[in-house]
Amino acid sequence: MLEWMVWTAPTALVFTGLALLLVVMAVWARISPPVARRGFLRIETDRGDRLYIGLISAAVVLAGWIAITDLSMWLALGCALLVAVVIGIWG
């Protein structure tokens, strides 16, 4: 199905997960409109802003991990998810 894009299964799963995450956030925003608040980021953000900042921060952690160390990418994924969750909850 995705052979024309030369995607691997993990790549397809990541983008499918991102699409699903956006759909869930849109439904959640429809049910309960987001409210801006100020967290440790020192700027007013709503949950959509924190999601975006968290995803970008996770990507930076993963790219930095690749550049700096040869340790397992599973550990990098754990660190990136932790950064995204911390920003999402307390950011």
Side-chain angles (χ1 to χ4, degrees):
M1 178 176 166
L2 295 174
E3 292 84 24
W4 65 274
M5 288 193 262
V6 195
W7 279 16
T8 62
T11 304
L13 284 174
V14 166
F15 280 98
T16 302
L18 287 173
L20 182 62
L21 184 61
L22 289 174
V23 168
V24 167
M25 289 294 287
V27 170
W28 188 12
R30 195 74 150 136
I31 293 169
S32 170
V35 176
R37 65 174 173 82
R38 193 178 296 249
F40 71 82
L41 295 173
R42 304 275 188 214
I43 57 175
E44 264 194 25
T45 58
D46 63 22
R47 62 180 165 246
D49 298 331
R50 290 187 300 276
L51 173 67
Y52 178 75
I53 294 168
L55 289 173
I56 295 299
S57 298
V60 169
V61 167
L62 290 169
W65 192 279
I66 291 169
I68 294 172
T69 183
D70 288 333
L71 294 175
S72 171
M73 285 304 293
W74 289 109
L75 188 56
L77 180 61
C79 292
L81 289 175
L82 181 65
V83 166
V85 168
V86 166
I87 289 173
I89 294 174
W90 294 293

